[in-house]
Amino acid sequence: MSEIVISVESLSKQYRLGTVGTGTLSHDLNRFWHKIRGKDDPYIEVGQENDRTSKGTSDYVWALRDINFEVRQGEVLGIIGRNGAGKSTLLKLLSRTTSPTIGTIKMKGRIASLLEVGTGFHPELSGKENIYLNGAILGMTRQEINSKFNEIVEFAGVERYVNTPVKRYSSGMYVRLAFAVAAYLEPDILIVDEVLAVGDAEFQQRAIGKLKDVSAGQGRTVLFVSHNMGSIAQLCTKGLLLHNGKVASNKNIDIVIEDYLEKNLSITSTYKSLEDNAKNVQVLWAEIVDEDEKPSDNFSNQEDIYIRFEIKNFSNERGMVCSIGLQDQLDRKIFTDQISIEANSGYTTFKVKLHKSIFRPNRFKVSIALHIPNIRLVEVIENALAFELVDSGSEFSLYGKTDNGFMIPPVVWEIEKNNLII
Amino acid sequence: MMNTFSGMKEQDEDWTLIIKPHSNLFDLQLKEVWRYQDLLFLFVKRDFVAQYKQTILGPLWHFIQPLFTTIMFLVVFNKIANIPTDGIKPILFYMSGIAIWNYFSSCLTATSNTFSANAGIFGKVYFPRLVLPLSIVVSNVVKFGIQFLLLLSLMIYFAFNGEQIHFGLSWLYIPVLIIMMAFMGLGLGIIISSLTTKYRDFTVLLGFAVQLLMYATPIIYPLSFLIGNKYGWLISWNPLTPIVEAFRFALFEQGTFSPVSLMYSAVFIIVVFFFGLVMFNRVERSFMDTV
């Protein structure tokens, strides 16, 4: 077993909600008064779990509460969780841009964090000047940058532009240059936040390749935060799932992704929106029902699935289209279908039938959108509904979790020839 | 939990970095600042290069601003208000005052918004935050140097025209005085920048306080002008006064120079700077939450 390079013990971070104003001063004074009498911070006990959706009674929330984990050398830890689960806060603490309220973090070796590419890039400076400046901000010395300068320029593919101010760069060049500086940093521990969300597909592949190199080839430790389960699954060996500021799961990456999807995909067979008079086009409600019109989120592949929803349309625009789309749990699109709507059609209820046994067992998410093709997206309800198709004994159920695609289309097999002896 | 903890006890010293909620008040991590000296000079360079990109006159602007201020002061305070200049040629008197005052005020105002102006970088990456205010002080030395060159060329010009101009060993004190000014500006600046992270009121305060402070410092009048004045003590208790006076004395060998009051300034500066460092260090750890 390799050595432990990061050890996090009962790490917690408290934030105060609301604005900084006169009220803050009184809390500060009260805190100071407790401190000089040698008492504990009076506000440390009042923090609440960080659940954004429910209104709390306290102004203090725990963005992170009692986090414990260890990372070994060479591991690539994927940190996942919903928005607001505490991922960014954890990264901020690890990269020392803010300090914890309680708990400790211990680390071994040089740490570099890449929370955003191009931190400290100055638009007026040339590419070359920015490489040096950005490198130094990230902790490199002048000699280190000198020795890697050519590789950085080559990786970014900006040779012709090194002496031009970066404000004249295309946004792609800018990002490539910024990532290149960070990629050649060679720290022992690299902390990366969704920087891969930028750049074209080719560059993203290169960036992932580079990160893989860094971890597998050079034995460095990488902490990686992303919402993209695809790149997480490609890159990481271990996973850390955060939920409302607590560790929900910390195991091998495939298990953690599974846990995340289970938590994240709250299966809802109904969607309801308040009627908004300011909007003249709106999806009012949607539900998934079975043959008997009973709401359901669980189907076997011998059942038909119905999606019912009502829309309101008081728009004069012509050519409006209502579409529904199905996605799997990794957000891969499975199909989209649509129907056109007349201008000013008023209230309409649709019932869409999905035939039985055309999908493989999986969890599905349904999105509903109203748009004018190629012109304007009027309203879109991403993942309005979700349902699960349970494997009720298809021939593939034997293979467990292997990916066998989405569909069971009518495929016809024929044996044309079969000889025992040629 | 207890198990892992006791098992790790022996390798506890191996950690290169331990992040805890509260550090020792006097753990100033100056060694780390030293390691980032490359960054400091790159910041200085950035300030310079970026400031004059796409200007025609470029660094010449450093001449123009003090020149016009000097002319204005000369007309208003010398010719109109008839304030004496300690026997120093008025234009040199004002220009030297402006040079050293500009240095102090630009150090102070620029360092005082370290946190709020750089929240973008600070929120994304860690480096010793002190590097930024230090870089400001250094890049202002260069600007001061340019203004000083202007002053010097004027003095040479007057010397050629047969005027009595003092050039002497006392000039060796000038760097010391500049360093004192630098630490004064830096010390006050980082105190204010630490306070402004939470309470923005101080930015507003500083805006006019610096302006008022100039009138409480012998820039447009010599200290000797106040002898016998009821409020003269107010000016002499200003810790900037001895530095400005000593600066002029070193340059022209005229004015009021007293080692005792200069010592007073030095002690004041050390206290302010150290207090500022402790405060800055305290705030830099978590200012991102309040800025």
Side-chain angles (χ1 to χ4, degrees), chain A residues 9 13 25 28 95-99 103-109 116 122 124 132 142 167-168, chain B residues 5 12 15-21 32 38 42 50 53-54 122 124-126 198-199 285 288-289:
Chain A
E9 282 157 25
K13 176 77 183 172
L25 188 60
D28 279 356
S95 58
R96 287 212 280 171
T97 55
T98 186
S99 68
T104 52
I105 303 170
K106 295 176 192 161
M107 297 200 253
K108 254 176 229 172
E116 187 185 80
H122 196 290
E124 296 287 350
Y132 278 94
R142 181 175 278 274
K167 67 175 176 181
R168 309 252 178 263
Chain B
F5 202 72
D12 246 14
W15 302 107
T16 39
L17 176 69
I18 297 180
I19 302 171
K20 279 185 295 191
E32 208 182 14
D38 280 342
L42 282 164
K53 281 262 165 104
Q54 285 199 9
F122 285 175
K124 295 297 178 192
V125 62
Y126 177 82
K198 207 162 194 181
Y199 302 105
R285 298 168 50 79
M288 275 318 294
D289 307 340

Side-chain angles (χ1 to χ4, degrees), chain A residues 277-292:
Chain A
N277 288 326
K279 284 186 182 171
N280 53 14
V281 178
Q282 206 184 356
V283 176
L284 296 171
W285 56 263
E287 62 180 10
I288 298 178
V289 294
D290 60 14
E291 276 169 331
D292 309 327

Side-chain angles (χ1 to χ4, degrees), chain A residues 4-5 7 9 13 15 20 24-25 28 35 68 70 93 95-109 111 113 115-116 119-120 122 124-125 129 132-133 136-139 141-142 167-168, chain B residues 1 4-5 8 11-12 14-22 29 32 35-36 38-39 41-43 45-46 49-50 53-54 120-127 129 198-199 282 284-290:
Chain A
I4 294 166
V5 288
S7 157
E9 282 157 25
K13 176 77 183 172
Y15 279 114
V20 174
T24 335
L25 188 60
D28 279 356
K35 205 170 175 181
N68 292 290
E70 281 168 354
L93 292 175
S95 58
R96 287 212 280 171
T97 55
T98 186
S99 68
T101 313
I102 308 172
T104 52
I105 303 170
K106 295 176 192 161
M107 297 200 253
K108 254 176 229 172
I111 300 112
S113 62
L115 301 199
E116 187 185 80
T119 313
H122 196 290
E124 296 287 350
L125 299 184
E129 288 165 326
Y132 278 94
L133 181 63
I137 287 179
L138 293 172
T141 63
R142 181 175 278 274
K167 67 175 176 181
R168 309 252 178 263
Chain B
M1 193 54 234
T4 30
F5 202 72
M8 306 227 318
Q11 35 169 288
D12 246 14
D14 296 352
W15 302 107
T16 39
L17 176 69
I18 297 180
I19 302 171
K20 279 185 295 191
H22 300 288
Q29 299 181 324
E32 208 182 14
R35 259 205 291 130
Y36 274 81
D38 280 342
L39 181 59
F41 289 106
L42 282 164
F43 274 136
K45 196 175 153 199
R46 177 194 72 175
V49 178
K53 281 262 165 104
Q54 285 199 9
I121 303 188
F122 285 175
K124 295 297 178 192
V125 62
Y126 177 82
F127 55 86
R129 273 60 172 120
K198 207 162 194 181
Y199 302 105
R282 194 128 199 95
E284 73 160 25
R285 298 168 50 79
S286 64
F287 89 101
M288 275 318 294
D289 307 340
T290 51

Side-chain angles (χ1 to χ4, degrees), chain B residues 140-205:
Chain B
N140 276 309
V141 167
V142 184
K143 289 175 197 164
F144 171 80
I146 294 172
Q147 295 188 17
F148 193 75
L149 273 181
L150 178 67
L151 180 68
L152 206 64
S153 38
L154 262 182
M155 287 172 76
I156 292 168
Y157 170 79
F158 285 130
F160 271 112
N161 283 345
E163 308 226 8
Q164 273 294 318
I165 298 291
H166 164 79
F167 291 97
L169 276 180
S170 61
W171 282 44
L172 293 178
Y173 289 110
I174 293 174
V176 179
L177 297 170
I178 295 306
I179 289 170
M180 287 175 77
M181 259 325 192
F183 279 92
M184 179 76 110
L186 181 64
L188 289 174
I190 58 181
I191 290 176
I192 291 167
S193 71
S194 310
L195 293 170
T196 40
T197 57
K198 207 162 194 181
Y199 302 105
R200 294 289 166 86
D201 312 57
F202 291 93
T203 339
V204 188
L205 176 78

